[in-house]
């Protein structure tokens, strides 16, 4: 029955995808229709009356009448919504408040309505339709997948509205749909403790020998799940063999009882895994699930750095970006596996693009979806059913082509996330490209990295803080640092033009093992949900890595004089 439901839902997903593809041939018309319908639906909200939405008849009038606004302009409205006031930004009742992670800035509160959730569901089905067809072309199958996201609520506001991470709201509101695709029971997502949740998710999924996929918000989280599988392999095998659920897990009695009702011994599967562990010395996803067809995780931004380590765990298993989205809305949908470009989600929001030469303008001119050009960077604006209008999230995207009339975009970096010793403006995308190339050049997988600036100096030195992957040794650290300097000059021309006259030589710091685990734990302690954890790879906060032990600091010859 379960396989039948997955097959049925996949058929529906392909139909939704076909409809989306048809609409990409009429991108301008679809976008205009979306905007008209939204303005009509929300014209009598407080925001709608304040900005005269009912008077707007054209896109040009909309652009002239509604200012480009950051989140800070919406915060007074969202605070009132949290207190229970209605008809503020949305005419539809707010049923959930998505709280952003705050890992790259201040936390934000995003209203979610049934209508905005319907938009997310349609985009998700479109994504599944694309994925299932892409896998079929490779003679691979779509099927059950491992999910580890938490469904634990953050709480309720004074107005009685549930709040928490965006993914929690999505999974809870469409529980009946999504659980059909899970290799692990929905109840495994309930534990609040991250290790406990990952352990029980893995435990149940290990019984699904034919599991097809793994999904997480970011590739770093996929690597963490793989690490848990390796680290707790003996415990997992023991529980499979004996039909137990490890007593040391931090499980509430009621959740443990629900899980135990669905759990039983699987000695045959335990024996299979024990044989793999004995012959290979470790358990990896590809070894324990030989039919694994895909990994779904965010592409673009810093993802390529983490993808460098994927072959160790997954071989050549295809990587699918699924969708580029945030708590504020859906930006784009991936049409294929192993591809960075994703199709603008033209049915999810009304989009505008600010060209690079307009970024500093007080009233920047914007382009529509069909007016952008491949190879150029843009700030992306969205207007959608979450109640945001011409909203500037700060994301910088690159247009890499077109899918029919809809642009293919790649997230590059968050504007404002810049590192400058003087004024060279190194972005996270620059840094990630360099570190990815260095891993390849030196055949050296890194656990992670973060570039910061030296203290009490102007101009400051770049501090290239790295942690080597387990068992790795950097034999020529000075050559590594010199190559970093050379590659950054090529990738960031502003850095290249200011080195060495204005920007001093970078310095390499090799941190002791476990350093970045400490940094991530600090972020979790600040309240960042583990499924939303985004690790910054550049930081102007000179105390960001404070307290970590430096095993070795390396300087270039010019810096030793």
């Amino acid at each position: 029955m379960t396989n039948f439901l997955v097959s049925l839902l996949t058929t529906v997903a392909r139909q939704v995808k076909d409809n989306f593809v048809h609409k990409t041939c009429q991108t301008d018309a679809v976008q205009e229709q979306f905007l008209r319908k939204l303005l009509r639906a929300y014209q009598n909200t407080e925001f709608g009356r304040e900005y005269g939405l009912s008077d707007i008849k054209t896109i040009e009038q909309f652009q002239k009448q509604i200012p480009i606004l950051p989140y800070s302009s919406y915060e007074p409205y969202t605070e009132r919504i949290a207190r229970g006031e209605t008809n503020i930004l949305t005419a539809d009742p707010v049923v959930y408040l998505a709280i952003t992670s705050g890992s790259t800035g201040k936390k934000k509160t995003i209203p979610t309505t049934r209508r905005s959730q319907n938009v997310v569901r349609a985009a998700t089905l479109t994504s599944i339709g694309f994925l299932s067809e892409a896998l079929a072309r490779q003679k691979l199958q779509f099927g059950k997948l491992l999910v580890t996201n938490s469904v634990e609520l953050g709480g309720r506001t004074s107005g009685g509205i549930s709040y928490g991470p965006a993914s929690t709201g999505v999974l809870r509101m469409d529980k009946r749909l999504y659980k059909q695709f899970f290799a692990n029971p929905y109840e495994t997502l309930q534990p609040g403790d991250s290790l406990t949740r990952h352990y029980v998710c893995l435990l149940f999924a290990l019984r699904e020998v034919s599991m097809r996929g793994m999904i997480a918000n970011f590739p770093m989280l996929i690597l963490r799940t793989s690490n848990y599988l390796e680290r707790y392999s003996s415990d997992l095998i023991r529980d499979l063999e004996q039909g137990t659920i490890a007593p040391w897990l931090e499980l509430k009695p009621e959740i443990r009882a629900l899980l135990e009702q669905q759990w039983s011994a699987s000695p045959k599967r335990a024996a299979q895994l024990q044989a793999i562990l004995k012959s290979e010395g470790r358990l990896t996803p590809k070894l324990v699930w030989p039919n694994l067809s895909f990994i779904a995780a965010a592409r673009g931004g810093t993802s390529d750095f983490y993808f460098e380590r994927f072959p160790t765990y997954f071989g050549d298993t295809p990587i699918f970006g699924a969708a580029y989205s945030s708590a504020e809305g859906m930006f784009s949908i991936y049409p294929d596996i192993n591809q960075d470009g994703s199709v603008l989600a033209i049915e999810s929001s009304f989009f505008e693009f600010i060209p690079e030469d307009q970024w500093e303008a007080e009233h920047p001119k914007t382009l529509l979806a069909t007016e952008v050009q491949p190879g150029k960077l843009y700030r992306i604006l969205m207007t959608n059913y979450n109640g945001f209008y011409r909203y500037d999230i700060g994301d910088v995207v690159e247009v890499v082509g077109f899918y029919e009339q809809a642009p293919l975009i790649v997230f590059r970096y968050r504007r404002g996330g810049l590192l400058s010793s003087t004024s060279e403006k190194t972005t996270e995308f620059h840094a990630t490209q360099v570190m990815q190339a260095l891993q390849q050049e030196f055949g050296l997988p890194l656990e992670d990295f973060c570039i910061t600036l030296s203290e009490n100096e102007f101009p400051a030195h770049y501090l290239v803080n790295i942690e080597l992957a387990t068992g790795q040794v950097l034999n020529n650290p000075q050559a590594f640092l010199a190559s970093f300097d050379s590659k950054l000059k090529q990738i960031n021309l502003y850095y290249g033009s200011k080195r060495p006259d204005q920007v001093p030589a970078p310095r390499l710091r090799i941190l002791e093992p476990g350093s970045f685990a400490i940094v991530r734990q600090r972020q979790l302690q600040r309240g960042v949900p583990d499924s939303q954890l985004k690790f910054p790879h550049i930081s102007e906060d000179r105390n960001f890595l404070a307290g970590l032990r430096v095993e070795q600091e390396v300087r270039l010859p010019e810096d030793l004089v």
Side-chain angles (χ1 to χ4, degrees), residues 226-277:
S226 302
N227 182 262
Y228 282 148
L229 173 62
E230 187 172 3
R231 192 189 313 172
Y232 295 99
S233 54
S234 295
D235 298 80
L236 291 162
I237 291 171
R238 187 183 308 114
D239 280 344
L240 275 164
E241 181 182 28
Q242 299 177 358
T244 54
I245 297 177
W248 51 266
L249 295 172
E250 294 183 22
L251 281 171
K252 294 178 180 177
E254 61 272 22
I255 297 179
R256 181 177 283 276
L258 283 172
L259 294 174
E260 287 177 342
Q261 289 171 14
Q262 303 176 65
W263 185 240
S264 59
S266 183
K268 183 179 178 181
R269 178 60 167 155
Q272 289 176 342
L273 296 176
Q274 187 63 52
I276 294 171
L277 182 59

Side-chain angles (χ1 to χ4, degrees), residues 269-380:
R269 178 60 167 155
Q272 289 176 342
L273 296 176
Q274 187 63 52
I276 294 171
L277 182 59
K278 184 177 180 180
S279 64
E280 303 294 334
R282 64 197 294 230
L283 295 185
T284 67
K286 193 63 173 179
L287 289 171
V288 303
W289 294 294
N291 296 314
L292 202 65
S293 296
F294 68 94
I295 308 299
R299 298 186 70 99
T302 63
S303 295
D304 284 350
F305 169 78
Y306 295 106
F307 288 150
E308 287 291 317
R309 295 179 59 198
F310 268 43
T312 302
Y313 295 103
F314 305 107
D316 60 355
T317 303
I319 302 170
F320 182 61
Y324 160 32
S325 65
S326 67
E328 291 91 336
M330 186 73 59
F331 291 99
S332 58
I333 301 165
Y334 284 80
D336 208 345
I337 54 178
N338 294 332
Q339 176 177 315
D340 283 340
S342 51
V343 187
L344 192 69
I346 57 175
E347 296 179 288
S348 302
S349 291
F350 175 75
F351 294 102
E352 298 171 76
F353 298 82
I354 304 178
E356 205 167 356
D357 63 5
Q358 292 288 308
W359 287 359
E360 304 304 326
E362 184 177 357
H363 301 290
K365 296 177 181 177
T366 61
L367 301 176
L368 301 182
T370 57
E371 297 174 333
V372 295
Q373 297 179 35
K376 294 195 174 182
L377 297 175
Y378 300 90
R379 268 168 45 208
I380 190 168

